[in-house]
Amino acid sequence: GLEVLTERALMVFPTRGSNDGPVPHFLAPNPQLFTDWCNYLQQPKEIQERILNLYTDMECPHANALRDYLHNYRENQYDEEEKMEQYDEETKEQILEDPIESDAVRYIFDHIEEFVQFVMVIRFNSVELQPPAEDGTGPGTNFGHGLFEVACKMNHSCRPNCVWFTTPDGKCKEIRAISTIEEGEELTVDYVGNVLDATPQRREDLLNTKGFVCECDRCAANHDDTRRFKCITHADSKCTGFHF
């Protein structure tokens, strides 16, 4: 399709490597997030502010849950530190498996609101940076994920009029039209890549990953246009396609 725009990433977050250092215990379920946070802290203040401006709903259920978790963790951690004097050094290490000692970790607990907002930005606005392979056989190099001030604000539709691609260098998103777009029509993309799934499945995926119930024209219609059955061309066929 025709190119609509090409946008350079506001920030690229490389995939976490084996040499990125330890992860605090309270972020162990998502070590990539701590790597992203450390990279964010190294950015100029102006870039940090532009990143945080990508998400502002700080009373959403996800933000509230993370905020409560961090406050509770901090209180419990500090309670343990106050009791440390009664233990020897070996016991202290066993009790405090995750001491608040690094600058990046300490900054989280001194600036909980900033950290919560950053996590919401990453959760809802970051996009994968993986261009197609040069020979067209599948995905190419994985450059991690990135944030874009325009592309990341495009709304979702299960009948999108645009698609986006990562450029070969992993630094830009290219938006291309896949249908006729009228003047004044909103540009939309598919967030999760499941437009061929049934409406309930699409809605469930979007709710779980993006936190909203889709009300696009397809999802809000009175019929489901994705009724289908598996390929039955041959009884022994290994085809994974579907008939509509």
Side-chain angles (χ1 to χ4, degrees):
L2 294 176
E3 180 182 341
V4 177
L5 67 92
T6 297
E7 181 184 10
R8 190 176 185 85
L10 173 62
M11 184 172 177
V12 173
F13 298 91
T15 301
R16 179 177 173 80
S18 57
N19 297 321
D20 283 351
V23 175
H25 179 69
F26 66 95
L27 291 179
N30 189 353
Q32 178 66 49
L33 182 59
F34 187 62
T35 299
D36 295 345
W37 173 248
C38 293
N39 288 330
Y40 161 83
L41 291 179
Q42 298 174 24
Q43 301 304 307
K45 194 66 177 179
E46 182 260 341
I47 297 297
Q48 292 181 358
E49 291 176 353
R50 289 165 65 184
I51 288 173
L52 295 180
N53 284 336
L54 290 173
Y55 191 88
T56 57
D57 183 11
M58 295 304 292
E59 294 302 322
C60 75
H62 304 281
N64 288 334
L66 178 58
R67 184 184 297 110
D68 291 344
Y69 171 76
L70 292 172
H71 280 295
N72 290 334
Y73 185 91
R74 181 176 62 180
E75 292 174 3
N76 293 335
Q77 185 76 32
Y78 288 159
D79 287 345
E80 289 295 336
E81 290 179 348
E82 291 176 357
K83 302 175 183 176
M84 288 299 289
E85 294 304 320
Q86 61 182 301
Y87 303 114
D88 57 32
E89 290 302 318
E90 182 178 356
T91 305
K92 287 179 182 179
E93 293 180 2
Q94 295 175 356
I95 294 175
L96 286 181
E97 297 178 354
D98 181 30
I100 301 176
E101 56 183 16
S102 73
D103 291 340
V105 175
R106 187 178 299 110
Y107 193 92
I108 291 175
F109 291 100
D110 289 342
H111 302 82
I112 286 179
E113 282 303 305
E114 180 179 351
F115 180 72
V116 170
Q117 189 167 4
F118 173 77
V119 174
M120 296 302 104
V121 169
I122 295 298
R123 188 186 195 286
F124 294 116
N125 293 99
S126 68
V127 293
E128 184 181 59
L129 295 175
Q130 188 169 26
E134 292 185 5
D135 60 6
T137 57
T141 302
N142 187 335
F143 292 94
H145 58 281
L147 295 170
F148 298 81
E149 290 182 289
V150 176
C152 287
K153 293 181 179 179
M154 294 180 69
N155 279 331
H156 164 85
S157 173
C158 295
R159 187 180 285 117
N161 53 25
C162 294
V163 292
W164 53 15
F165 301 95
T166 303
T167 54
D169 61 2
K171 297 179 180 179
C172 301
K173 276 293 186 183
E174 185 177 286
I175 313 297
R176 288 186 172 272
I178 56 174
S179 65
T180 301
I181 301 175
E182 303 295 336
E183 182 177 353
E185 182 181 349
E186 181 183 18
L187 303 179
T188 57
V189 292
D190 167 32
Y191 282 177
V192 293
N194 64 350
V195 294
L196 295 182
D197 288 342
T199 299
Q201 184 62 55
R202 297 198 311 272
R203 281 183 155 177
E204 181 179 356
D205 290 347
L206 286 164
L207 181 61
N208 291 337
T209 59
K210 300 299 181 181
F212 69 89
V213 176
C214 185
E215 294 291 349
C216 72
D217 58 349
R218 280 185 67 198
C219 288
N222 292 325
H223 68 282
D224 191 338
D225 61 3
T226 53
R227 296 187 64 179
R228 59 185 182 169
F229 53 91
K230 292 184 178 180
C231 178
I232 55 173
T233 304
H234 300 287
D236 59 349
S237 173
K238 296 182 180 180
C239 177
T240 58
F242 293 87
H243 293 285
F244 289 85

